[in-house]
């Protein structure tokens, strides 16, 4: 079964706008894939161009479309030892999903079931694992949307602009193709930032000011009640050149953080002690600060903001 995410592919999308993007309740657009960012690890990430005619939206002409498709979550499939999808396995999964309540379980319910099965040495079926991955990817999608909505004041500067949730509109004449997208696959549409990933930047380009800015962004997330378990060099982009605003002035961005699928908001019932414990054990600040220190010799000074005092 051919992966539907490839250069030159065209999709019709329905966009539900996010906070910070003034638009009608629903927007329908057509996009064309300019590039697939490789390797695909968990979510296919695509550089797309608007192909809607006439262009009646305030969307920029080039964007990033990120989709949460269990079929092509390559690292997760390898971890759970699930083979690549085929027309036959997809048909079997859909038949299974439509014949019972199993596919309707939440992620928490799936995780409880998997723990119980593990204790009893019960091997989950391929269909159950596919359903679990679908629930897991759906949670990643919700995480990312919630983070962008919470961090709206940083959009367009320290993080990309978030334009909204997406779903694929399936064309009738492609309904029988094994290369089509899936209307049930959720996605997001965000700003495309041209630049170099922090892990690919030369040591000479890693100035103390740039390193500190990366740490400051991470700390700002914590100040707004966000815990991110995926802070790493690969998730920071240094823009290649200043951008031009609609008023014609230059917008200079030192560094932009991306990928919040494995981040979460602080729970409403999460007290200070528990929250600080989670933040301290995750150590997002150190995940970027210590790595930059090792990479370029930057004199990183941790804040110990979430230090949990030792018990007497």
């Amino acid at each position: 079964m051919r992966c539907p995410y490839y250069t030159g592919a065209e999709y019709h999308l329905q966009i539900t706008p996010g906070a910070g993007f003034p638009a009608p309740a629903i927007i329908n657009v057509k996009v064309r894939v300019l590039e697939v960012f490789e390797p695909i690890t968990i979510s296919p990430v695509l550089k797309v161009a608007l192909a809607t005619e006439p262009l009646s939206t305030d969307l920029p002409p080039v964007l990033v479309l990120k989709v949460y498709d269990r079929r092509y979550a390559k690292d997760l499939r390898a971890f759970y030892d699930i083979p690549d999808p085929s027309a036959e396995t997809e048909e079997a999964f859909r038949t299974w999903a439509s014949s019972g309540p199993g596919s309707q379980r939440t992620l928490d319910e799936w995780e409880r079931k998997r723990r119980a099965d593990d204790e009893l040495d019960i091997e989950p079926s391929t269909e159950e694992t596919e359903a679990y991955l679908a629930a897991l990817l759906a949670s990643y999608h919700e995480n990312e949307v919630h983070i962008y909505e919470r961090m709206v004041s940083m959009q367009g500067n320290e993080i990309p602009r978030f334009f909204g949730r997406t779903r694929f509109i399936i064309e009738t004449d492609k309904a029988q193709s094994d290369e089509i997208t899936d209307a049930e696959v959720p996605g997001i549409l965000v700003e495309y930032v041209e630049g170099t990933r922090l892990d690919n930047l030369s040591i000479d380009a890693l100035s103390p000011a740039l390193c500190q800015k990366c740490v400051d962004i991470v700390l700002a997330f914590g100040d707004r009640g966000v815990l991110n378990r995926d802070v790493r060099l690969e998730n920071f982009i240094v823009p290649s050149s200043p951008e031009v605003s609609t008023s014609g002035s230059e917008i200079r961005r030192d560094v932009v953080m991306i990928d919040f699928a494995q981040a979460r908001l602080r729970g409403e019932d999460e007290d200070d002690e528990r929250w600080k414990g989670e933040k301290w054990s995750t150590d997002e600040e150190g995940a970027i600060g210590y790595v930059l220190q090792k990479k370029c010799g930057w004199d990183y000074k941790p804040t110990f903001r979430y230090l949990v005092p030792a018990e007497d």
Side-chain angles (χ1 to χ4, degrees):
M1 186 170 74
R2 182 181 180 184
C3 176
Y5 310 117
Y6 56 89
T7 301
E10 293 188 343
Y11 316 123
H12 284 90
L13 299 176
Q14 184 179 86
I15 306 169
T16 302
F21 176 51
I26 297 292
I27 305 171
N28 291 338
V29 300
K30 183 178 180 181
V31 298
R32 183 179 68 260
V33 178
L34 301 177
E35 181 182 356
V36 179
F37 294 106
E38 298 284 358
I40 296 175
T41 55
I42 294 178
S43 295
V45 180
L46 318 171
K47 178 182 177 182
V48 300
L50 277 182
T52 299
E53 294 292 345
L55 294 179
S56 56
T57 73
D58 292 326
L59 293 168
V62 177
L63 307 110
V64 167
L65 172 64
K66 182 175 182 179
V67 293
Y68 305 78
D69 192 333
R70 61 170 174 82
R71 299 174 300 175
Y72 303 101
K74 294 186 178 180
D75 283 5
L76 290 176
R77 298 187 75 86
F79 181 80
Y80 290 106
D81 197 25
I82 308 176
D84 291 340
S86 66
E88 292 75 18
T89 59
E90 280 301 294
E91 180 63 28
F93 172 70
R94 293 180 185 281
T95 299
W96 173 86
S98 63
S99 63
S103 63
Q104 303 304 314
R105 289 189 177 99
T106 66
L107 178 60
D108 286 344
E109 290 170 339
W110 272 119
E111 289 181 339
R112 286 196 295 270
K113 183 179 187 304
R114 291 177 68 84
R115 286 195 296 269
D117 287 349
D118 188 57
E119 291 177 359
L120 297 172
D121 201 23
I122 297 175
E123 188 74 21
S125 68
T126 299
E127 289 79 12
E128 287 181 326
T129 305
E130 292 281 5
Y132 168 68
L133 288 187
L136 183 59
L137 267 295
S139 76
Y140 287 169
H141 172 248
E142 289 300 314
N143 289 344
E144 197 130 26
V145 170
H146 291 157
I147 299 309
Y148 273 112
E149 298 282 2
R150 171 65 61 87
M151 308 302 289
V152 65
S153 64
M154 296 176 70
Q155 288 184 31
N157 193 356
E158 295 93 346
I159 66 174
R161 287 189 67 196
F162 170 66
F163 298 108
R165 301 171 181 256
T166 67
R167 64 179 294 271
F168 292 106
I169 301 172
I170 307 302
E171 299 173 74
T172 304
D173 61 345
K174 294 184 178 180
Q176 301 303 315
S177 170
D178 64 357
E179 299 177 5
I180 63 170
T181 49
D182 187 337
E184 297 178 3
V185 172
I188 60 171
L189 202 63
V190 299
E191 174 190 10
Y192 171 67
V193 179
E194 181 73 44
T196 304
R197 286 188 344 194
L198 206 59
D199 59 316
N200 292 329
L201 211 62
S202 68
I203 293 177
D204 292 341
L206 291 169
S207 67
L210 178 61
C211 293
Q212 185 61 55
K213 180 64 176 180
C214 295
V215 171
D216 290 344
I217 292 174
V218 172
L219 291 174
F221 270 64
D223 292 342
R224 290 166 173 79
V226 175
L227 175 74
N228 188 350
R229 298 188 181 278
D230 195 27
V231 175
R232 50 197 174 95
L233 296 185
E234 294 90 328
N235 288 340
F236 290 84
I237 297 174
V238 176
S240 54
S241 60
E243 300 175 28
V244 179
S245 69
T246 54
S247 63
S249 61
E250 286 190 348
I251 303 173
R252 293 189 176 274
R253 303 163 79 174
D254 299 317
V255 64
V256 178
M257 190 178 183
I258 62 171
D259 196 352
F260 313 118
Q262 297 184 56
R264 70 169 179 86
L265 301 179
R266 179 175 178 174
E268 294 182 0
D269 59 347
E270 201 165 5
D271 61 26
D272 288 346
E273 183 179 0
R274 181 181 171 190
W275 175 246
K276 288 182 69 174
E278 288 284 325
K279 294 288 285 184
W280 177 254
S281 62
T282 304
D283 192 15
E284 301 128 287
E285 179 187 342
I288 189 68
Y290 285 120
V291 173
L292 285 170
Q293 183 180 59
K294 183 177 180 180
K295 180 178 175 69
C296 66
W298 175 50
D299 184 18
Y300 166 56
K301 294 180 174 59
T303 65
F304 300 108
R305 185 172 299 186
Y306 298 101
L307 176 63
V308 179
E311 295 182 1
D312 294 333

